Amino acid sequence: MSLFLLLPSIPPFLTVAATERLYSLTLSSSTIGYTQLQSSAMASEARFWFAALLLLVTCLSAMAKQTYIVQMNHHSKPSSYATHHDWYSAHLQSLSSTEDSLLYTYTTAYHGFAASLDSEQAELLRQSDSVLGVYEDTLYTLHTTRTPEFLGLEIESGLWAGHSTQDLNQASNDVIVGVLDTGVWPESKSFDDAGMPEIPTRWRGQCESGSDFAPSFCNKKLIGARSFSKGFHMASGGSFMRKSKEAESPRDRDGHGTHTSSTAAGSHVANASLLGYATGTARGMAPHARVAAYKVCWSTGCFGSDILAGMDRAIVDGVDVLSLSLGGGASPYYHDTIAIGAFTAMERGIFVSCSAGNSGPSKASLANTAPWIMTVGAGTLDRDFPAYALLGNKKRFTGVSLYSGTGMGNKPVQLVYNKGSNSSSNLCLPASLQPEHVRGKVVVCDRGINARVEKGGVVRAAGGIGMILANTAASGEELVADSHLLPAVAVGMRVGDLIREYAQHDSNPTALISFGGTVLNVRPSPVVAAFSSRGPNLVTPQILKPDVIGPGVNILAGWSESIGPTGLEEDTRKSQFNIMSGTSMSCPHISGLAALLKAAHPDWSPSAIKSALMTTAYTQDNTKSPLRDAADGSFSNPWAHGSGHVEPQKALSPGLVYDISTDDYVAFLCSLDYTLEHVQAIVKKPNVTCSRKYSDPGQLNYPSFSVVFGNKRVVRYSRELTNVGAAGSIYRVAVTGPQMVRIAVKPTRLVFKNVGEKQKYTVTFVANKGADKTARSEFGSIVWQNPQHQVKSPIAFAWTQLID
């Protein structure tokens, strides 16, 4: 943020109006500096004035305004104020704040407002009895057509887990999926409304107009489009009133939002592909559901104040599912704007799905861990895009690529790696390659630091004609295909090490890159993506996260035609579809599946839908082997894949579900080390007293278990199952676990005479005496089964809450 000081007693060369010779006093944390003098002759006098102004600037820096989110005691509004908005405005005016300080008033997802304040004003608000908390705005980041077949959804006729496809499609017409992201490209064929009935009368949303967006762009498929940018403007320009370079409209200039929206509920589009790759029919998980887009993410990211405004509006508009492919770091729930907004959504019957994050394979790297949120990790599909690197030593290595140009031809060229004097040349960072060393050659680039596609741009700018993108230990064997601007292939760490060794030690290393198109039925699949964030859950270790994984690697979906497939400025190619990877892609898969379950079971709660998706998930790949981890090829575990990979057909008829009421979630919150005010801030009810609370947060009726022994040898939890299958169903329990833990379930047999009947069981976990407490984690499962259903819950064991 830059502050230009205009004081009449300062010499003319320091004023903007006189000569535009000025200092830009940059305030960043506690550092104050000046950028440039336009006249060196004035340097001595300028330094004197700079020193004299330094004290003044230090004082003014404390007054520099930024966005704060203010949490109010909603029920303390005096009757003299007609609305909460009036009350909040009065609070700000009492601080001598300007009229434009109030950015947003939140009434549903959150109780409070967002405002432009200086630090002193924020502190004065904290001292008010009616203010529960004042928090600086948080920056969140995006977690950036074979899928339906892979998930078993491509069935156009007949029965689907007891539901006719026609009935399910018709019921889906009444389900509305709200997507908070970078907006939408309404012209995409994925939002074609052919054959769609009239919009549900309960819908209260709308399509906003903008310089590049008209309400007429919406239809019976895309039924809502709004944008929220005041937090973004405050952070980037110092005033939400200032005109931005970005058009204030729901239009997607990034592509991410169109991709996630069409993944969740896009219509059928024949002959879809990315420049010839992955050709086929593209469709969302719930192709007959409606879509409402809420643009909360802009060029610099997604600000909490804008996200809250989007959630607030989406809940009032009447969405049934909220999909958020974005997140930040782990923080207490009362300080997590997404968690607070999602609590209200859950209470109103709205299913909330969020991406787990792309910070894997590091442990404890999860985002969006609240138990009322579906936290989604990422796995691979059984589709790949092979590319090959043939070296001069006759060795041929396989990788992946989405390059679609003319290629290198058939003649090998020289291969180089880390030949420049710049120490960052092995990473192919901008301006790190010397043209004389790479011109006309294939360059080996280590993965990491900058974007994969940017590395190819750096190579091309330096005159290189091809790139081998080689993983390091951080990415292991995970392969992500990209639509590079030059012939390029991505390879895993082991192959990368062999190629690096060859390039550095052979007297005349050469390489030739070629491409293999699209390959189906890849084995093994799915594999947990290395980038997918992992547990354990640092916010509440007794809640196992992530919940599930879904397809998140090399996913084809709709795209914005205002930007090329790579997102780079120099990429002038246009495509109606793009292939992307990330938990951003897996999240809308689960959002769309939740819409299908909502259509099939309109009376199910969000927790029942979540339970159905979790307890029917599978943990074996298509080779009948346990799921593997792309990071190192080892077997995966519930800290990486949660309950497993979603299986929609089984989720439609799970047999039993673990249901959780709002009161249960309140009892869970009361079991944490939160003040009553913190709990009330999340629950948004003044009469919460925490008279009912769990002795352990793990007592929540969650579909999975996370057992933290700590200083105890015995942990005992109770669970309650609800029969959503046939009357007269009988289930027996099967248990697996590590040798150092004894697991006892009582009773071992559950009989459900009626549909909707509830039965409880208790499970006791006993760590053996003398068990090695240095063992950080072990895993197991509890399965309630009969000939028709298997209701499976994973278990994670930890002997300490410390993470290595």
Side-chain angles (χ1 to χ4, degrees):
M1 179 175 61
S2 295
L3 173 67
F4 298 99
L5 300 180
L6 308 179
L7 300 178
S9 60
I10 300 177
F13 71 85
L14 282 181
T15 67
V16 175
T19 62
E20 295 187 347
R21 295 175 182 139
L22 50 86
Y23 283 103
S24 173
L25 301 180
T26 303
L27 312 178
S28 176
S29 301
S30 60
T31 303
I32 302 177
Y34 58 94
T35 54
Q36 183 181 2
L37 256 182
Q38 303 234 347
S39 173
S40 58
M42 298 176 181
S44 178
E45 186 181 0
R47 279 193 292 271
F48 165 80
W49 277 102
F50 182 80
L53 288 171
L54 190 57
L55 180 60
L56 174 60
V57 173
T58 303
C59 295
L60 287 175
S61 68
M63 299 169 61
K65 291 194 173 185
Q66 65 182 88
T67 302
Y68 288 86
I69 297 175
V70 182
Q71 204 165 30
M72 299 291 289
N73 188 335
H74 192 69
H75 303 275
S76 296
K77 179 182 74 67
S79 58
S80 57
Y81 295 104
T83 67
H84 283 88
H85 179 87
D86 295 339
W87 183 37
Y88 301 156
S89 296
H91 262 280
L92 290 177
Q93 289 173 9
S94 70
L95 302 175
S96 300
S97 189
T98 57
E99 292 183 2
D100 64 356
S101 293
L102 185 61
L103 307 183
Y104 295 113
T105 295
Y106 308 120
T107 59
T108 307
Y110 199 87
H111 286 168
F113 58 92
S116 168
L117 305 169
D118 61 44
S119 58
E120 288 185 5
Q121 292 170 329
E123 188 55 40
L124 285 173
L125 277 176
R126 289 188 179 99
Q127 297 170 16
S128 170
D129 292 337
S130 56
V131 173
L132 297 177
V134 180
Y135 308 107
E136 293 183 16
D137 204 358
T138 303
L139 178 64
Y140 294 83
T141 56
L142 294 166
H143 292 151
T144 225
T145 57
R146 171 104 178 122
T147 318
E149 292 96 326
F150 184 67
L151 290 173
L153 292 177
E154 199 58 61
I155 300 174
E156 291 302 323
S157 60
L159 293 177
W160 205 68
H163 300 264
S164 76
T165 305
Q166 183 177 357
D167 289 346
L168 196 57
N169 291 343
Q170 186 174 349
S172 296
N173 290 328
D174 292 326
V175 180
I176 302 164
V177 181
V179 182
L180 273 69
D181 212 295
T182 63
V184 66
W185 190 261
E187 295 84 0
S188 171
K189 294 179 181 178
S190 293
F191 306 115
D192 180 22
D193 67 348
M196 297 282 289
E198 291 301 315
I199 297 170
T201 56
R202 63 183 174 86
W203 177 241
R204 295 182 293 276
Q206 68 178 48
C207 282
E208 296 178 353
S209 60
S211 60
D212 57 0
F213 202 98
S216 60
F217 292 168
C218 289
N219 55 26
K220 295 175 184 178
K221 178 68 175 179
L222 178 64
I223 65 172
R226 299 182 186 268
S227 66
F228 304 86
S229 60
K230 293 177 181 177
F232 159 67
H233 289 320
M234 274 303 304
S236 58
S239 171
F240 74 91
M241 304 292 286
R242 183 177 301 173
K243 188 168 183 178
S244 170
K245 293 180 181 178
E246 292 186 63
E248 294 181 31
S249 87
R251 182 168 290 281
D252 181 12
R253 297 288 178 182
D254 177 273
H256 192 277
T258 302
H259 199 281
T260 55
S261 297
S262 58
T263 297
S267 301
H268 289 80
V269 182
N271 299 314
S273 73
L274 168 61
L275 306 175
Y277 284 98
T279 301
T281 298
R283 49 154 285 187
M285 297 299 96
H288 298 275
R290 320 284 182 154
V291 175
Y294 298 84
K295 184 173 181 177
V296 298
C297 298
W298 304 84
S299 58
T300 54
C302 323
F303 288 88
S305 55
D306 296 331
I307 295 169
L308 263 184
M311 295 182 80
D312 205 60
R313 191 67 247 181
I315 293 170
V316 173
D317 284 348
V319 302
D320 299 294
V321 176
L322 269 177
S323 187
L324 292 86
S325 291
L326 50 90
S331 60
Y333 303 129
Y334 59 82
H335 197 188
D336 184 338
T337 52
I338 294 176
I340 294 173
F343 191 95
T344 301
M346 170 277 301
E347 192 173 20
R348 299 199 178 193
I350 301 169
F351 182 93
V352 182
S353 176
C354 294
S355 46
N358 297 341
S359 300
S362 300
K363 288 183 180 179
S365 52
L366 292 165
N368 302 314
T369 59
W372 49 89
I373 289 174
M374 185 70 145
T375 310
V376 186
T380 63
L381 288 173
D382 62 343
R383 176 182 65 196
D384 215 346
F385 309 102
Y388 311 98
L390 177 63
L391 305 185
N393 59 9
K394 305 301 182 184
K395 291 185 178 180
R396 185 174 183 256
F397 296 109
T398 301
V400 296
S401 182
L402 293 169
Y403 172 74
S404 58
T406 57
M408 285 180 55
N410 298 317
K411 184 178 179 181
V413 301
Q414 192 170 355
L415 179 70
V416 294
Y417 173 67
N418 200 21
K419 289 291 186 182
S421 59
N422 192 318
S423 60
S424 63
S425 61
N426 63 308
L427 288 163
C428 300
L429 301 181
S432 66
L433 298 178
Q434 298 181 15
E436 60 270 25
H437 290 148
V438 304
R439 188 176 293 113
K441 301 172 184 177
V442 171
V443 181
V444 180
C445 299
D446 291 343
R447 181 174 169 181
I449 308 298
N450 59 332
R452 300 181 301 271
V453 291
E454 184 183 62
K455 295 176 187 290
V458 171
V459 171
R460 190 175 75 157
I465 63 170
M467 176 181 70
I468 298 176
L469 180 60
N471 283 3
T472 61
S475 300
E477 299 308 312
E478 173 189 68
L479 297 180
V480 179
D482 294 298
S483 183
H484 292 283
L485 292 171
L486 82 172
V489 55
V491 298
M493 182 186 69
R494 286 191 288 268
V495 168
D497 287 343
L498 294 173
I499 295 175
R500 282 182 280 255
E501 177 75 15
Y502 167 74
Q504 288 181 301
H505 296 98
D506 192 274
S507 59
N508 183 32
T510 62
L512 176 64
I513 299 173
S514 58
F515 305 93
T518 303
V519 174
L520 304 180
N521 301 312
V522 173
R523 297 161 68 92
S525 63
V527 175
V528 179
F531 61 73
S532 188
S533 289
R534 314 300 169 93
N537 178 353
L538 287 185
V539 183
T540 313
Q542 297 86 352
I543 300 295
L544 178 58
K545 291 282 183 169
D547 292 312
V548 293
I549 61 170
V553 179
N554 299 333
I555 304 300
L556 179 77
W559 191 245
S560 168
E561 293 185 58
S562 70
I563 191 169
T566 63
L568 298 175
E569 286 187 17
E570 60 266 34
D571 188 355
T572 58
R573 300 171 297 176
K574 302 299 178 188
S575 177
Q576 295 180 359
F577 292 86
N578 199 5
I579 293 174
M580 297 181 71
S581 297
T583 55
S584 274
M585 283 62 252
S586 54
C587 170
H589 278 89
I590 274 59
S591 305
L593 296 180
L596 283 180
L597 266 65
K598 184 80 172 177
H601 305 285
D603 57 332
W604 279 12
S605 68
S607 58
I609 294 174
K610 176 198 273 194
S611 175
L613 288 165
M614 290 174 65
T615 61
T616 58
Y618 61 86
T619 54
Q620 286 190 331
D621 61 30
N622 58 2
T623 69
K624 305 300 181 184
S625 168
L627 293 177
R628 291 188 177 273
D629 192 328
D632 56 9
S634 65
F635 290 134
S636 178
N637 64 55
W639 279 353
H641 62 241
S643 294
H645 193 286
V646 289
E647 189 164 6
Q649 289 217 34
K650 288 187 177 179
L652 266 179
S653 180
L656 304 172
V657 294
Y658 292 86
D659 211 349
I660 306 174
S661 68
T662 300
D663 289 342
D664 293 335
Y665 284 122
V666 173
F668 161 80
L669 289 169
C670 290
S671 72
L672 305 177
D673 292 328
Y674 291 176
T675 66
L676 190 59
E677 289 73 20
H678 286 152
V679 176
Q680 290 173 341
I682 300 166
V683 179
K684 308 171 196 72
K685 292 180 180 177
N687 57 348
V688 172
T689 62
C690 283
S691 58
R692 175 187 174 228
K693 65 179 181 180
Y694 298 128
S695 59
D696 180 323
Q699 287 285 8
L700 183 68
N701 198 41
Y702 213 66
S704 58
F705 295 84
S706 180
V707 179
V708 181
F709 286 112
N711 295 323
K712 300 175 293 184
R713 281 189 56 233
V714 179
V715 173
R716 183 175 289 109
Y717 290 143
S718 295
R719 291 288 193 268
E720 183 179 74
L721 284 162
T722 302
N723 181 28
V724 295
S729 295
I730 300 174
Y731 290 82
R732 289 177 172 80
V733 74
V735 175
T736 61
Q739 290 184 347
M740 64 277 289
V741 178
R742 285 178 287 129
I743 305 173
V745 178
K746 291 184 179 180
T748 59
R749 180 173 174 268
L750 294 176
V751 179
F752 296 89
K753 296 180 180 179
N754 303 306
V755 177
E757 183 178 343
K758 300 177 184 292
Q759 294 281 355
K760 290 185 178 180
Y761 70 92
T762 300
V763 56
T764 304
F765 305 100
V766 182
N768 293 345
K769 286 184 178 180
D772 184 5
K773 293 187 178 182
T774 61
R776 290 290 188 232
S777 59
E778 294 287 346
F779 303 94
S781 67
I782 293 175
V783 185
W784 290 97
Q785 55 192 6
N786 64 19
Q788 291 76 37
H789 302 286
Q790 283 199 331
V791 185
K792 185 175 182 179
S793 297
I795 312 167
F797 298 97
W799 278 257
T800 173
Q801 294 193 25
L802 298 176
I803 308 301
D804 35 19

